[in-house]
Each structure stands twice: as structure tokens, then as C-alpha cells.
Amino acid sequence: MAKNEKTSDRIASKASKVLKNPSSGKTAKSIAGSALSQTSRDKTTSAKVASKAANALKDGRSGKTTQSIAGSVLTQKSSDQ
């Protein structure tokens, strides 16, 4: 069952900056893209992106922005997954 969550404007702004930054890594960009796709309530985080987000939160090398976005996309993960 999908959660009734969506990406906040604050997180969407951070995600946009990550995608525009050429030095952002692939994982950060993947998580940011997922966050931006969830600005409406009809999308949820895929299992693949949820795994990347969880790893980003565990990885001490991830920046605060990436961790913030990762936390957001994890709250939007479908409970079916």
C-alpha cells in the first residue's frame, strides 16, 4: 500500500541543486531524481532507490544534503515493498 506522502518544497529544491551540480555522484543524482518525481502524491520510491537511499544514510561519506533527500524518499517508500 502506498503512503500518502510527497516531497516537500525544501527537499525538492535541494534535489534540483544536486541534479544540476556536475560534481554530484550517481547515487545522489538517482535519489534526487526520485525525490523530484514524488512532488505529487501518486508516486512512491522504488525498492532499488530505497536501497540506495538507505545505503546513503549509512555511509559516513554522504553529505548532509544527500542524507536529507535520502530520508525523504525513504518515507515515501510503499509499504508493499
Side-chain angles (χ1 to χ4, degrees):
M1 186 167 128
K3 292 189 175 189
N4 193 16
E5 300 279 342
K6 70 174 197 159
T7 302
S8 70
D9 291 342
R10 182 178 67 85
I11 295 296
S13 176
K14 287 182 178 188
S16 176
K17 289 176 184 174
V18 166
L19 290 173
K20 291 176 184 176
N21 185 344
S23 66
S24 294
K26 286 183 183 180
T27 298
K29 287 187 176 192
S30 175
I31 295 167
S34 178
L36 281 178
S37 76
Q38 297 171 42
T39 56
S40 66
R41 286 185 160 73
D42 61 340
K43 303 249 183 187
T44 59
T45 303
S46 70
K48 183 177 179 179
V49 174
S51 177
K52 288 181 181 184
N55 288 335
L57 287 173
K58 293 177 193 173
D59 187 347
R61 298 172 295 168
S62 296
K64 289 185 182 210
T65 299
T66 299
Q67 289 180 346
S68 179
I69 297 168
S72 176
V73 299
L74 283 175
T75 66
Q76 298 168 62
K77 181 178 177 284
S78 173
S79 58
D80 294 349
Q81 298 175 0

